[in-house]
Amino acid sequence: MHIDILTLFPQMYEGIFAHSILKRAREKQLFSVYLHDIRDYSTDKHRKVDDYPYGGEPGMVMKIEPIAACIEKLKQERDYDEVIFLTPEGDTFNQTMANTLSMKNTILLLCGHYKGIDERVRELFITKEISIGNYVLSGGELPAAILCDAIVRLIPGVLNDETSALSDSFQYGLLSAPVYTRPYDFRGHTVPDILLSGNEKAITEWKLQQAMERTRKNRPDMLEE
Ligand code: ADE
């Protein structure tokens, strides 16, 4: 999978792709990411990328020309399966969307800033709008990073034990069961004995029952769905 990220702040990503699973996915050549500074596509001598809104609202709007120039150049190099704009006005991101996106080959992520982008960017280039939740961040950079992390870990071969993504919370519409490691006894708090029983069937049943119980308690809305 290849992801192009269009942003005004490429430096925000220093570190994010250089650690943990995202780093490993890049090393295994299962994932590549390029960062594109939208400012590099401004033809203005001050590298201006925003302007006042028509109609006189407060705040600035991202201009269409630099974004269009960047997307059009990239589209000459590759076809995109999705051109996604990160915005609080988009569809709320969830595990099902992550699963679907993890099967794509090429994705372009556009990070917004200021008051918004010129509406014509949406009309001309965007295939999907995604929000990471009902709150407003200062830009789309962190949401784009979250999308990358959630998607890339699902690409087959990225995680060592492929089944571990399948046992994640949300994959079966349930939260995960609790997990434990040594020591068996920490200040009198012990590990449930069933996990030491060696009885695979009983352990699987226990995990399912715990997952159901945790979902019922923390996220009853998931069971209703
Ligand atoms: N940009 C600002 N807030 C956002 C959000 N909640 N989701 C996606 N992009 C955003």
Side-chain angles (χ1 to χ4, degrees):
M1 174 187 291
H2 176 78
I3 297 184
D4 284 301
I5 303 181
L6 276 58
T7 167
L8 293 174
F9 300 99
Q11 302 85 347
M12 280 182 74
Y13 291 96
E14 278 166 21
I16 289 179
F17 295 110
H19 296 279
S20 185
I21 306 284
L22 290 170
K23 177 186 179 202
R24 207 190 309 153
R26 291 172 70 204
E27 285 172 351
K28 288 184 180 174
Q29 302 193 335
L30 295 169
F31 164 61
S32 57
V33 58
Y34 295 157
L35 298 164
H36 306 274
D37 188 340
I38 297 169
R39 233 173 258 285
D40 290 343
Y41 294 84
S42 170
T43 49
D44 179 275
K45 68 172 187 276
H46 302 295
R47 304 206 335 136
K48 205 168 143 64
V49 287
D50 60 338
D51 209 336
Y52 295 100
Y54 278 112
E57 278 184 60
M60 300 295 270
V61 174
M62 282 174 77
K63 289 166 70 62
I64 189 167
E65 298 101 313
I67 296 172
C70 183
I71 294 180
E72 280 164 354
K73 177 178 164 264
L74 292 174
K75 277 189 165 178
Q76 284 172 8
E77 294 164 19
R78 56 178 67 88
D79 289 329
Y80 289 100
D81 296 319
E82 296 287 359
V83 176
I84 299 172
F85 177 46
L86 284 312
T87 166
E89 291 129 32
D91 295 334
T92 309
F93 191 53
N94 60 25
Q95 191 64 45
T96 309
M97 286 157 88
N99 292 346
T100 307
L101 289 173
S102 74
M103 289 181 264
K104 309 284 183 193
N105 284 320
T106 47
I107 297 176
L108 187 153
L109 299 177
L110 172 62
C111 306
H113 254 275
Y114 312 122
K115 177 127 194 79
I117 47 166
D118 189 305
E119 187 64 18
R120 291 164 292 185
V121 172
R122 286 182 154 113
E123 290 164 19
L124 292 174
F125 301 112
I126 302 301
T127 60
K128 217 182 247 319
E129 298 184 25
I130 295 182
S131 161
I132 59 156
N134 293 337
Y135 42 85
V136 177
L137 299 168
S138 33
E141 280 73 18
L142 294 174
I146 286 170
L147 235 71
C148 289
D149 191 301
I151 293 167
V152 170
R153 64 195 300 285
L154 297 172
I155 298 171
V158 168
L159 298 183
N160 280 340
D161 176 0
E162 275 191 41
T163 58
S164 68
L166 293 177
S167 64
D168 285 346
S169 282
F170 302 108
Q171 282 295 12
Y172 292 109
L174 290 177
L175 301 179
S176 293
V179 291
Y180 299 86
T181 186
R182 283 178 290 193
Y184 170 74
D185 186 335
F186 180 72
R187 299 176 187 165
H189 296 260
T190 56
V191 175
D193 285 319
I194 181 103
L195 294 175
L196 288 82
S197 68
N199 183 339
E200 292 281 336
K201 186 163 172 280
I203 291 174
T204 305
E205 275 168 20
W206 179 86
K207 284 185 178 167
L208 179 62
Q209 179 244 317
Q210 291 288 315
M212 299 270 287
E213 182 55 27
R214 183 174 272 187
T215 310
R216 193 190 57 72
K217 191 159 159 263
N218 294 359
R219 293 291 307 274
D221 56 301
M222 285 171 66
L223 293 177
E224 279 160 27
E225 275 171 33

Short mmCIF file of all heavy atoms in Angstrom, two decimals, residues 8-58:
data_model
loop_
_atom_site.label_atom_id
_atom_site.label_comp_id
_atom_site.label_asym_id
_atom_site.label_seq_id
_atom_site.Cartn_x
_atom_site.Cartn_y
_atom_site.Cartn_z
N LEU A 8 0.09 21.01 5.38
CA LEU A 8 0.86 22.25 5.54
C LEU A 8 1.96 22.05 6.57
O LEU A 8 2.82 22.91 6.73
CB LEU A 8 -0.08 23.37 6.02
CG LEU A 8 -1.13 23.84 5.03
CD1 LEU A 8 -2.08 24.83 5.68
CD2 LEU A 8 -0.46 24.45 3.80
N PHE A 9 1.94 20.93 7.28
CA PHE A 9 2.90 20.70 8.36
C PHE A 9 3.53 19.30 8.29
O PHE A 9 3.31 18.48 9.18
CB PHE A 9 2.21 20.90 9.72
CG PHE A 9 1.66 22.27 9.89
CD1 PHE A 9 0.31 22.52 9.68
CD2 PHE A 9 2.49 23.33 10.23
CE1 PHE A 9 -0.21 23.81 9.81
CE2 PHE A 9 1.99 24.61 10.35
CZ PHE A 9 0.64 24.86 10.15
N PRO A 10 4.32 19.05 7.23
CA PRO A 10 4.92 17.71 7.11
C PRO A 10 5.80 17.35 8.31
O PRO A 10 5.91 16.17 8.66
CB PRO A 10 5.74 17.80 5.82
CG PRO A 10 5.80 19.23 5.45
CD PRO A 10 4.67 19.93 6.11
N GLN A 11 6.38 18.36 8.97
CA GLN A 11 7.27 18.06 10.11
C GLN A 11 6.52 17.38 11.25
O GLN A 11 7.11 16.73 12.10
CB GLN A 11 7.91 19.35 10.67
CG GLN A 11 8.73 20.14 9.67
CD GLN A 11 7.86 21.09 8.85
OE1 GLN A 11 6.62 21.00 8.83
NE2 GLN A 11 8.50 22.00 8.13
N MET A 12 5.19 17.57 11.29
CA MET A 12 4.42 16.92 12.36
C MET A 12 4.54 15.40 12.32
O MET A 12 4.27 14.73 13.29
CB MET A 12 2.94 17.30 12.27
CG MET A 12 2.64 18.67 12.85
SD MET A 12 0.89 19.06 12.77
CE MET A 12 0.21 18.03 14.07
N TYR A 13 4.93 14.87 11.15
CA TYR A 13 4.97 13.41 11.01
C TYR A 13 6.33 12.80 11.37
O TYR A 13 6.46 11.60 11.37
CB TYR A 13 4.60 13.00 9.59
CG TYR A 13 3.14 13.27 9.32
CD1 TYR A 13 2.73 14.43 8.70
CD2 TYR A 13 2.17 12.36 9.74
CE1 TYR A 13 1.39 14.69 8.48
CE2 TYR A 13 0.83 12.61 9.52
CZ TYR A 13 0.45 13.78 8.89
OH TYR A 13 -0.88 14.03 8.68
N GLU A 14 7.31 13.71 11.67
CA GLU A 14 8.63 13.17 12.05
C GLU A 14 8.41 12.29 13.27
O GLU A 14 7.85 12.71 14.26
CB GLU A 14 9.60 14.31 12.39
CG GLU A 14 10.22 14.91 11.15
CD GLU A 14 10.90 16.24 11.45
OE1 GLU A 14 11.23 16.49 12.62
OE2 GLU A 14 11.05 17.02 10.49
N GLY A 15 8.83 11.09 13.19
CA GLY A 15 8.66 10.21 14.35
C GLY A 15 7.53 9.22 14.16
O GLY A 15 7.71 8.04 14.41
N ILE A 16 6.40 9.69 13.67
CA ILE A 16 5.23 8.80 13.63
C ILE A 16 5.48 7.57 12.75
O ILE A 16 5.13 6.46 13.11
CB ILE A 16 3.97 9.57 13.15
CG1 ILE A 16 3.53 10.52 14.25
CG2 ILE A 16 2.84 8.60 12.78
CD1 ILE A 16 2.32 11.35 13.94
N PHE A 17 6.12 7.79 11.60
CA PHE A 17 6.35 6.67 10.69
C PHE A 17 7.70 5.97 10.95
O PHE A 17 8.07 5.08 10.22
CB PHE A 17 6.26 7.14 9.24
CG PHE A 17 4.88 7.61 8.88
CD1 PHE A 17 4.61 8.95 8.65
CD2 PHE A 17 3.83 6.70 8.80
CE1 PHE A 17 3.33 9.38 8.35
CE2 PHE A 17 2.54 7.12 8.49
CZ PHE A 17 2.29 8.46 8.27
N ALA A 18 8.40 6.44 11.96
CA ALA A 18 9.76 5.92 12.22
C ALA A 18 9.79 4.98 13.42
O ALA A 18 10.86 4.67 13.93
CB ALA A 18 10.72 7.09 12.42
N HIS A 19 8.63 4.58 13.90
CA HIS A 19 8.60 3.73 15.09
C HIS A 19 7.55 2.64 14.96
O HIS A 19 6.60 2.76 14.19
CB HIS A 19 8.28 4.57 16.34
CG HIS A 19 9.34 5.58 16.63
ND1 HIS A 19 10.50 5.28 17.26
CD2 HIS A 19 9.41 6.89 16.30
CE1 HIS A 19 11.25 6.36 17.34
NE2 HIS A 19 10.60 7.36 16.76
N SER A 20 7.78 1.59 15.74
CA SER A 20 6.77 0.57 15.98
C SER A 20 6.26 -0.07 14.69
O SER A 20 7.01 -0.30 13.75
CB SER A 20 5.63 1.20 16.81
OG SER A 20 4.68 0.26 17.17
N ILE A 21 4.97 -0.33 14.63
CA ILE A 21 4.39 -1.10 13.53
C ILE A 21 4.54 -0.38 12.19
O ILE A 21 4.81 -1.00 11.16
CB ILE A 21 2.87 -1.34 13.79
CG1 ILE A 21 2.64 -1.97 15.17
CG2 ILE A 21 2.22 -2.14 12.69
CD1 ILE A 21 2.96 -3.42 15.26
N LEU A 22 4.35 0.94 12.19
CA LEU A 22 4.44 1.68 10.92
C LEU A 22 5.86 1.61 10.36
O LEU A 22 6.07 1.46 9.15
CB LEU A 22 4.00 3.14 11.11
CG LEU A 22 2.50 3.31 11.35
CD1 LEU A 22 2.16 4.73 11.76
CD2 LEU A 22 1.70 2.95 10.10
N LYS A 23 6.84 1.67 11.24
CA LYS A 23 8.24 1.52 10.81
C LYS A 23 8.47 0.12 10.23
O LYS A 23 9.04 -0.05 9.15
CB LYS A 23 9.18 1.76 11.99
CG LYS A 23 10.63 1.56 11.64
CD LYS A 23 11.49 1.67 12.88
CE LYS A 23 12.95 1.45 12.53
NZ LYS A 23 13.71 1.04 13.71
N ARG A 24 7.97 -0.88 10.96
CA ARG A 24 8.17 -2.27 10.52
C ARG A 24 7.50 -2.51 9.17
O ARG A 24 8.05 -3.16 8.27
CB ARG A 24 7.62 -3.23 11.57
CG ARG A 24 8.34 -4.56 11.52
CD ARG A 24 7.69 -5.63 12.36
NE ARG A 24 7.43 -5.23 13.72
CZ ARG A 24 6.45 -5.76 14.45
NH1 ARG A 24 5.64 -6.66 13.93
NH2 ARG A 24 6.28 -5.39 15.69
N ALA A 25 6.31 -1.96 8.98
CA ALA A 25 5.59 -2.14 7.70
C ALA A 25 6.38 -1.52 6.56
O ALA A 25 6.43 -2.07 5.46
CB ALA A 25 4.21 -1.49 7.80
N ARG A 26 7.02 -0.38 6.81
CA ARG A 26 7.84 0.26 5.77
C ARG A 26 9.07 -0.59 5.48
O ARG A 26 9.43 -0.78 4.32
CB ARG A 26 8.24 1.66 6.20
CG ARG A 26 7.04 2.62 6.24
CD ARG A 26 7.43 3.93 6.84
NE ARG A 26 8.30 4.69 5.97
CZ ARG A 26 9.15 5.63 6.41
NH1 ARG A 26 9.23 5.91 7.69
NH2 ARG A 26 9.89 6.28 5.56
N GLU A 27 9.69 -1.09 6.53
CA GLU A 27 10.89 -1.91 6.34
C GLU A 27 10.58 -3.18 5.56
O GLU A 27 11.38 -3.64 4.74
CB GLU A 27 11.50 -2.28 7.70
CG GLU A 27 12.22 -1.10 8.33
CD GLU A 27 12.66 -1.38 9.77
OE1 GLU A 27 12.26 -2.42 10.33
OE2 GLU A 27 13.37 -0.55 10.32
N LYS A 28 9.41 -3.75 5.81
CA LYS A 28 9.00 -4.96 5.08
C LYS A 28 8.48 -4.65 3.68
O LYS A 28 8.01 -5.53 2.97
CB LYS A 28 7.89 -5.68 5.86
CG LYS A 28 8.33 -6.36 7.13
CD LYS A 28 7.12 -7.11 7.70
CE LYS A 28 7.42 -7.84 8.98
NZ LYS A 28 6.20 -8.43 9.57
N GLN A 29 8.48 -3.36 3.33
CA GLN A 29 8.00 -2.88 2.03
C GLN A 29 6.54 -3.25 1.77
O GLN A 29 6.14 -3.49 0.63
CB GLN A 29 8.91 -3.37 0.91
CG GLN A 29 10.34 -2.89 1.15
CD GLN A 29 11.24 -3.05 -0.03
OE1 GLN A 29 11.01 -3.90 -0.88
NE2 GLN A 29 12.26 -2.24 -0.09
N LEU A 30 5.77 -3.30 2.85
CA LEU A 30 4.34 -3.53 2.71
C LEU A 30 3.59 -2.20 2.67
O LEU A 30 2.41 -2.14 2.37
CB LEU A 30 3.83 -4.36 3.89
CG LEU A 30 4.40 -5.79 3.95
CD1 LEU A 30 4.08 -6.45 5.27
CD2 LEU A 30 3.83 -6.61 2.79
N PHE A 31 4.30 -1.14 3.01
CA PHE A 31 3.68 0.18 3.11
C PHE A 31 4.72 1.26 2.81
O PHE A 31 5.86 1.16 3.26
CB PHE A 31 3.13 0.35 4.53
CG PHE A 31 2.79 1.75 4.93
CD1 PHE A 31 1.83 2.47 4.23
CD2 PHE A 31 3.42 2.36 6.00
CE1 PHE A 31 1.52 3.77 4.60
CE2 PHE A 31 3.12 3.65 6.37
CZ PHE A 31 2.16 4.36 5.67
N SER A 32 4.32 2.26 2.01
CA SER A 32 5.19 3.43 1.83
C SER A 32 4.35 4.68 1.97
O SER A 32 3.13 4.65 1.70
CB SER A 32 5.88 3.40 0.46
OG SER A 32 4.90 3.32 -0.55
N VAL A 33 4.97 5.74 2.43
CA VAL A 33 4.24 7.00 2.63
C VAL A 33 5.12 8.15 2.16
O VAL A 33 6.32 8.15 2.42
CB VAL A 33 3.81 7.17 4.12
CG1 VAL A 33 4.99 7.14 5.06
CG2 VAL A 33 2.99 8.44 4.32
N TYR A 34 4.53 9.09 1.41
CA TYR A 34 5.24 10.31 1.03
C TYR A 34 4.46 11.48 1.59
O TYR A 34 3.22 11.51 1.52
CB TYR A 34 5.34 10.47 -0.49
CG TYR A 34 6.17 9.42 -1.20
CD1 TYR A 34 5.95 9.16 -2.55
CD2 TYR A 34 7.18 8.71 -0.54
CE1 TYR A 34 6.71 8.20 -3.23
CE2 TYR A 34 7.93 7.75 -1.20
CZ TYR A 34 7.69 7.49 -2.54
OH TYR A 34 8.41 6.54 -3.20
N LEU A 35 5.21 12.46 2.08
CA LEU A 35 4.60 13.67 2.60
C LEU A 35 4.77 14.78 1.58
O LEU A 35 5.86 14.93 1.01
CB LEU A 35 5.27 14.05 3.92
CG LEU A 35 5.12 13.01 5.01
CD1 LEU A 35 6.11 13.25 6.14
CD2 LEU A 35 3.70 12.99 5.54
N HIS A 36 3.73 15.53 1.34
CA HIS A 36 3.77 16.61 0.35
C HIS A 36 3.36 17.91 1.03
O HIS A 36 2.25 17.99 1.57
CB HIS A 36 2.83 16.31 -0.81
CG HIS A 36 3.10 14.97 -1.44
ND1 HIS A 36 4.04 14.80 -2.43
CD2 HIS A 36 2.59 13.75 -1.17
CE1 HIS A 36 4.08 13.52 -2.76
NE2 HIS A 36 3.21 12.86 -2.00
N ASP A 37 4.25 18.89 0.97
CA ASP A 37 3.97 20.18 1.60
C ASP A 37 3.16 21.03 0.61
O ASP A 37 3.67 21.42 -0.45
CB ASP A 37 5.31 20.86 1.94
CG ASP A 37 5.11 22.12 2.76
OD1 ASP A 37 3.98 22.67 2.75
OD2 ASP A 37 6.07 22.54 3.41
N ILE A 38 1.91 21.30 0.96
CA ILE A 38 1.02 22.02 0.04
C ILE A 38 1.61 23.39 -0.33
O ILE A 38 1.43 23.88 -1.44
CB ILE A 38 -0.39 22.19 0.68
CG1 ILE A 38 -1.02 20.81 0.90
CG2 ILE A 38 -1.30 23.05 -0.18
CD1 ILE A 38 -2.27 20.83 1.77
N ARG A 39 2.35 23.96 0.62
CA ARG A 39 2.97 25.27 0.38
C ARG A 39 3.93 25.25 -0.83
O ARG A 39 4.09 26.25 -1.52
CB ARG A 39 3.74 25.70 1.63
CG ARG A 39 3.37 27.06 2.14
CD ARG A 39 4.05 27.33 3.46
NE ARG A 39 3.12 27.17 4.56
CZ ARG A 39 2.18 28.03 4.86
NH1 ARG A 39 2.02 29.13 4.15
NH2 ARG A 39 1.36 27.82 5.87
N ASP A 40 4.54 24.09 -1.08
CA ASP A 40 5.46 23.97 -2.22
C ASP A 40 4.73 24.17 -3.54
O ASP A 40 5.37 24.36 -4.58
CB ASP A 40 6.13 22.59 -2.24
CG ASP A 40 7.10 22.41 -1.08
OD1 ASP A 40 7.49 23.43 -0.48
OD2 ASP A 40 7.46 21.26 -0.79
N TYR A 41 3.43 24.08 -3.53
CA TYR A 41 2.64 24.19 -4.77
C TYR A 41 1.98 25.56 -4.92
O TYR A 41 1.22 25.78 -5.85
CB TYR A 41 1.59 23.07 -4.84
CG TYR A 41 2.26 21.73 -4.97
CD1 TYR A 41 2.72 21.07 -3.84
CD2 TYR A 41 2.48 21.16 -6.22
CE1 TYR A 41 3.38 19.85 -3.95
CE2 TYR A 41 3.13 19.95 -6.34
CZ TYR A 41 3.58 19.31 -5.20
OH TYR A 41 4.24 18.12 -5.32
N SER A 42 2.28 26.46 -3.98
CA SER A 42 1.75 27.81 -4.09
C SER A 42 2.59 28.59 -5.09
O SER A 42 3.82 28.49 -5.09
CB SER A 42 1.82 28.49 -2.72
OG SER A 42 1.54 29.86 -2.86
N THR A 43 1.92 29.36 -5.95
CA THR A 43 2.67 30.16 -6.93
C THR A 43 2.87 31.58 -6.40
O THR A 43 3.53 32.40 -7.03
CB THR A 43 1.92 30.20 -8.28
OG1 THR A 43 0.57 30.57 -8.02
CG2 THR A 43 1.98 28.87 -8.99
N ASP A 44 2.30 31.85 -5.25
CA ASP A 44 2.39 33.16 -4.62
C ASP A 44 3.82 33.38 -4.08
O ASP A 44 4.43 32.45 -3.58
CB ASP A 44 1.37 33.17 -3.47
CG ASP A 44 1.37 34.46 -2.71
OD1 ASP A 44 2.19 34.60 -1.80
OD2 ASP A 44 0.54 35.31 -3.05
N LYS A 45 4.31 34.63 -4.18
CA LYS A 45 5.71 34.84 -3.76
C LYS A 45 5.88 34.67 -2.24
O LYS A 45 6.98 34.39 -1.77
CB LYS A 45 6.25 36.17 -4.26
CG LYS A 45 5.67 37.43 -3.67
CD LYS A 45 6.51 38.64 -4.17
CE LYS A 45 6.12 39.93 -3.50
NZ LYS A 45 5.02 40.67 -4.02
N HIS A 46 4.80 34.79 -1.50
CA HIS A 46 4.88 34.56 -0.04
C HIS A 46 4.45 33.14 0.33
O HIS A 46 4.20 32.86 1.49
CB HIS A 46 4.01 35.58 0.71
CG HIS A 46 4.39 37.00 0.42
ND1 HIS A 46 5.61 37.52 0.78
CD2 HIS A 46 3.72 37.99 -0.23
CE1 HIS A 46 5.67 38.78 0.38
NE2 HIS A 46 4.54 39.08 -0.24
N ARG A 47 4.31 32.30 -0.66
CA ARG A 47 3.89 30.88 -0.46
C ARG A 47 2.55 30.81 0.28
O ARG A 47 2.31 29.96 1.11
CB ARG A 47 4.97 30.11 0.30
CG ARG A 47 6.29 30.20 -0.41
CD ARG A 47 7.28 29.11 -0.23
NE ARG A 47 7.27 28.29 0.95
CZ ARG A 47 7.41 26.97 0.93
NH1 ARG A 47 7.52 26.34 -0.21
NH2 ARG A 47 7.45 26.29 2.03
N LYS A 48 1.68 31.73 -0.08
CA LYS A 48 0.37 31.82 0.56
C LYS A 48 -0.52 30.64 0.16
O LYS A 48 -0.56 30.25 -1.00
CB LYS A 48 -0.28 33.11 0.08
CG LYS A 48 -1.31 33.72 0.98
CD LYS A 48 -1.59 35.13 0.44
CE LYS A 48 -3.04 35.52 0.56
NZ LYS A 48 -3.57 35.63 1.87
N VAL A 49 -1.20 30.06 1.14
CA VAL A 49 -2.07 28.92 0.84
C VAL A 49 -3.50 29.15 1.32
O VAL A 49 -4.37 28.30 1.16
CB VAL A 49 -1.54 27.62 1.50
CG1 VAL A 49 -0.31 27.10 0.78
CG2 VAL A 49 -1.26 27.83 2.98
N ASP A 50 -3.75 30.31 1.95
CA ASP A 50 -5.10 30.58 2.46
C ASP A 50 -5.52 32.00 2.06
O ASP A 50 -4.70 32.81 1.65
CB ASP A 50 -5.15 30.42 3.98
CG ASP A 50 -4.20 31.37 4.70
OD1 ASP A 50 -3.23 31.84 4.07
OD2 ASP A 50 -4.42 31.64 5.88
N ASP A 51 -6.81 32.25 2.18
CA ASP A 51 -7.32 33.58 1.83
C ASP A 51 -8.62 33.83 2.59
O ASP A 51 -9.19 32.90 3.18
CB ASP A 51 -7.54 33.65 0.30
CG ASP A 51 -7.37 35.06 -0.24
OD1 ASP A 51 -7.54 36.02 0.55
OD2 ASP A 51 -7.09 35.19 -1.44
N TYR A 52 -9.09 35.07 2.55
CA TYR A 52 -10.34 35.41 3.25
C TYR A 52 -11.53 34.75 2.56
O TYR A 52 -11.54 34.64 1.33
CB TYR A 52 -10.53 36.93 3.27
CG TYR A 52 -9.46 37.61 4.08
CD1 TYR A 52 -8.37 38.22 3.47
CD2 TYR A 52 -9.53 37.61 5.48
CE1 TYR A 52 -7.37 38.82 4.23
CE2 TYR A 52 -8.54 38.20 6.24
CZ TYR A 52 -7.46 38.80 5.60
OH TYR A 52 -6.48 39.36 6.35
N PRO A 53 -12.54 34.35 3.33
CA PRO A 53 -13.71 33.72 2.69
C PRO A 53 -14.60 34.74 1.99
O PRO A 53 -14.78 35.86 2.50
CB PRO A 53 -14.45 33.09 3.88
CG PRO A 53 -13.99 33.81 5.09
CD PRO A 53 -12.63 34.37 4.80
N TYR A 54 -15.13 34.36 0.85
CA TYR A 54 -16.21 35.16 0.25
C TYR A 54 -17.37 35.17 1.23
O TYR A 54 -17.65 34.15 1.88
CB TYR A 54 -16.68 34.53 -1.06
CG TYR A 54 -15.81 34.86 -2.25
CD1 TYR A 54 -15.04 33.87 -2.86
CD2 TYR A 54 -15.79 36.15 -2.77
CE1 TYR A 54 -14.24 34.16 -3.96
CE2 TYR A 54 -14.99 36.45 -3.87
CZ TYR A 54 -14.23 35.47 -4.45
OH TYR A 54 -13.45 35.76 -5.53
N GLY A 55 -18.07 36.28 1.32
CA GLY A 55 -19.25 36.34 2.16
C GLY A 55 -18.95 36.85 3.55
O GLY A 55 -19.85 37.00 4.37
N GLY A 56 -17.63 37.02 3.84
CA GLY A 56 -17.25 37.76 5.03
C GLY A 56 -17.35 37.06 6.37
O GLY A 56 -17.61 37.69 7.37
N GLU A 57 -17.18 35.75 6.40
CA GLU A 57 -17.12 35.07 7.70
C GLU A 57 -15.75 35.26 8.34
O GLU A 57 -14.79 35.54 7.65
CB GLU A 57 -17.31 33.57 7.49
CG GLU A 57 -18.74 33.15 7.35
CD GLU A 57 -18.81 31.64 7.25
OE1 GLU A 57 -18.37 30.97 8.19
OE2 GLU A 57 -19.30 31.17 6.22
N PRO A 58 -15.66 35.08 9.68
CA PRO A 58 -14.32 35.13 10.27
C PRO A 58 -13.51 33.89 9.91
O PRO A 58 -14.08 32.85 9.60
CB PRO A 58 -14.59 35.18 11.78
CG PRO A 58 -15.98 34.71 11.97
CD PRO A 58 -16.72 34.87 10.67
#
